[in-house]
Amino acid sequence: MVEPALTESKSKALFERAKKILPGGVNSPVRAFEPYPFFVECAQGSKMYDADGKAYVDYCMAYGALLLGHAYPEIIEAVKNQLAKGTLYGVPTEREVEFAELIQKSSPCMEMMRLVNSGTEATMHAIRAARGYTNRKKIIKFEGCFHGSHDAVLVKAGSGATTFAAPNSLGIPEETTQNTIVLPYNNIEALEATFKREGYHIAAVIVEPVLANVGLILPKKDYLKNLRKITSANGTVLIFDEIITGFRLALGGAQEYFNVKPDMATLGKVLGAGFPLAAFGGKREIMQNISPVGKVYQAGTFSGNPVSATAGFTILNILSQKKNQIYPKLQKNTEELTKGLIDLAASHKVPAQVYNIASLYQIFFTDKPISDYACAKNSDLQMFTAYFQELLRQGVFIPPSQFETCFLSTAHTEDNLKFTVNSFDKALAAASKTRHPQ
Ligand SMILES: Cc1ncc(COP(=O)(O)O)c(C=O)c1O
């Protein structure tokens, strides 16, 4: 039995109230955890403060959205200035154009794009654009990849869908997902066999280039390059869902990091700097089919709104100007943190696999390497819960599920990292007490 981290508190009372009006007491399932989530009062830099005044060093960073930490002054200032000029116009602004031009500079595959409000919208419309362009119905997604919560992709989906045992959601007619082929990630043979069988019916392959919604799983050597080759040979649109990897692995995301150019990409999270914003885009010949130029319909009242676009434009300018300092420093800090975690896991004799890339990391409690969804699901979840609860008690917040990834920001200080490694020590001790024989 894992001892919960929180006892009587204002958060508990708020959660009781919330449960009466919001399903599960939350507005997104990943926010619900046992015995109840803490309710945030405010946040600054690397830390969040709850309704009882307790501070947490934050490695969730709004599920990766906050690369520069909470309430980054330059972004807040730019948004304040925009607020005074209006929040929504329903007609275009210069800001949207200069912002899109800046995105295109860092993600050259996006010859044309559309701004939208969430990652879910971005992947939904990218798939529609790929189907419209190819005039084919089928798509391939991979087990454990999460592409948002729309019908076509909620099949063996990661993140909250796996955490809460609903990888295939109720409410989605099977006719809707019968054109979604689900394959294991990192398995090029399975992909080749599928393309051999029905390659010319497959409109798109959508993939998280690095799996970050079932813990963290890295692509095997040349996996993405082979994915590129096979899709090109079959006239299938390759979509990199870079909602997490975009602006995290590098300024140009996974496309730059692995030097593989997809036909389309989706961006979100970091791109909006804490505001609702995402984008989908790709080759001109595909995007020219979007309404009003072509017959693929896509629209949105809030799309490209000046507040989100200003936040996005500001962060992209910062990242473009300081990329040579920001990305190496984030990687160094992540390596330092994960080294601490690996060393402590060994000293507590805890079976552990720790993965990291750029500013992402995660631990799995198992002695077997993790290369796909099936392996991730076989790690010891009870140990993870004990580890999470003890970190929370210590004042370190990581995403509450094994099927998520931890994120560093530029706001994490050397002191934060030392404090966290100290907390890892206690959390791994707690985890080792619940150990299942494997
Ligand atoms: C890879 C990926 N794609 C899409 C989404 C959906 O994004 P949003 O939550 O903004 O709808 C997420 C969300 O976590 C994601 O991680």
Side-chain angles (χ1 to χ4, degrees), residues 372-413:
D372 62 19
Y373 185 57
C375 313
K377 290 216 329 173
N378 278 334
S379 63
D380 189 324
L381 302 184
Q382 202 174 338
M383 284 182 91
F384 185 87
T385 302
Y387 162 80
F388 163 74
Q389 291 285 350
E390 186 55 38
L391 283 178
L392 196 62
R393 215 183 327 266
Q394 296 296 324
V396 172
F397 180 58
I398 60 167
S401 165
Q402 172 70 84
F403 305 114
E404 304 288 352
T405 289
C406 302
F407 300 95
L408 272 78
S409 76
T410 56
H412 287 91
T413 62

Side-chain angles (χ1 to χ4, degrees), residues 63 118-121 123 146-148 159 208 213 241 243-244 269:
Y63 289 88
S118 70
T120 296
E121 265 186 83
T123 61
F146 182 68
H147 302 296
S159 186
E208 285 183 76
N213 281 289
D241 179 355
I243 304 287
I244 285 187
K269 299 212 185 217

Side-chain angles (χ1 to χ4, degrees), residues 223-392:
Y223 177 68
L224 297 172
K225 287 204 162 79
N226 285 328
L227 203 54
R228 177 63 285 182
K229 258 192 225 149
I230 295 169
T231 45
S232 293
N234 286 275
T236 295
V237 176
L238 178 61
I239 307 171
F240 272 9
D241 179 355
E242 296 234 45
I243 304 287
I244 285 187
T245 51
F247 312 104
R248 277 239 166 230
L249 297 202
L251 182 66
Q255 306 163 43
E256 179 184 324
Y257 193 97
F258 295 108
N259 192 23
V260 175
K261 193 172 176 186
D263 302 302
M264 295 190 79
T266 55
L267 299 168
K269 299 212 185 217
V270 172
L271 183 66
F275 289 80
L277 186 118
F280 72 97
K283 283 187 173 157
R284 188 171 299 278
E285 66 200 76
I286 301 174
M287 293 301 288
Q288 287 281 20
N289 293 299
I290 305 283
S291 183
V293 196
K295 298 227 173 333
V296 174
Y297 199 71
Q298 182 275 332
T301 302
F302 297 100
S303 295
N305 75 76
V307 180
S308 295
T310 294
F313 183 65
T314 310
I315 193 167
L316 235 55
N317 271 312
I318 297 170
L319 296 180
S320 310
Q321 280 155 23
K322 299 192 182 160
K323 64 178 182 184
N324 294 336
Q325 293 91 55
I326 286 179
Y327 291 103
K329 183 81 195 304
L330 279 168
Q331 174 149 347
K332 183 181 154 288
N333 284 353
T334 310
E335 279 167 3
E336 187 180 322
L337 199 64
T338 48
K339 181 176 183 315
L341 189 55
I342 292 166
D343 291 349
L344 285 164
S347 77
H348 283 284
K349 299 196 171 38
V350 165
Q353 306 293 315
V354 177
Y355 297 96
N356 65 283
I357 182 166
S359 53
L360 286 66
Y361 80 92
Q362 184 57 296
I363 184 170
F364 294 91
F365 292 97
T366 172
D367 49 18
K368 299 184 186 71
I370 304 285
S371 59
D372 62 19
Y373 185 57
C375 313
K377 290 216 329 173
N378 278 334
S379 63
D380 189 324
L381 302 184
Q382 202 174 338
M383 284 182 91
F384 185 87
T385 302
Y387 162 80
F388 163 74
Q389 291 285 350
E390 186 55 38
L391 283 178
L392 196 62

Side-chain angles (χ1 to χ4, degrees), residues 38-83:
F38 62 88
F39 279 59
V40 173
E41 195 67 33
C42 62
Q44 181 69 58
S46 62
K47 289 192 179 170
M48 293 200 285
Y49 300 85
D50 74 11
D52 297 286
K54 179 169 172 170
Y56 302 85
V57 182
D58 183 11
Y59 293 97
C60 177
M61 283 292 152
Y63 289 88
L66 304 173
L67 188 72
L68 302 180
H70 294 275
Y72 192 78
E74 234 176 294
I75 289 161
I76 301 294
E77 196 50 40
V79 168
K80 269 190 193 162
N81 288 339
Q82 176 55 44
L83 286 176

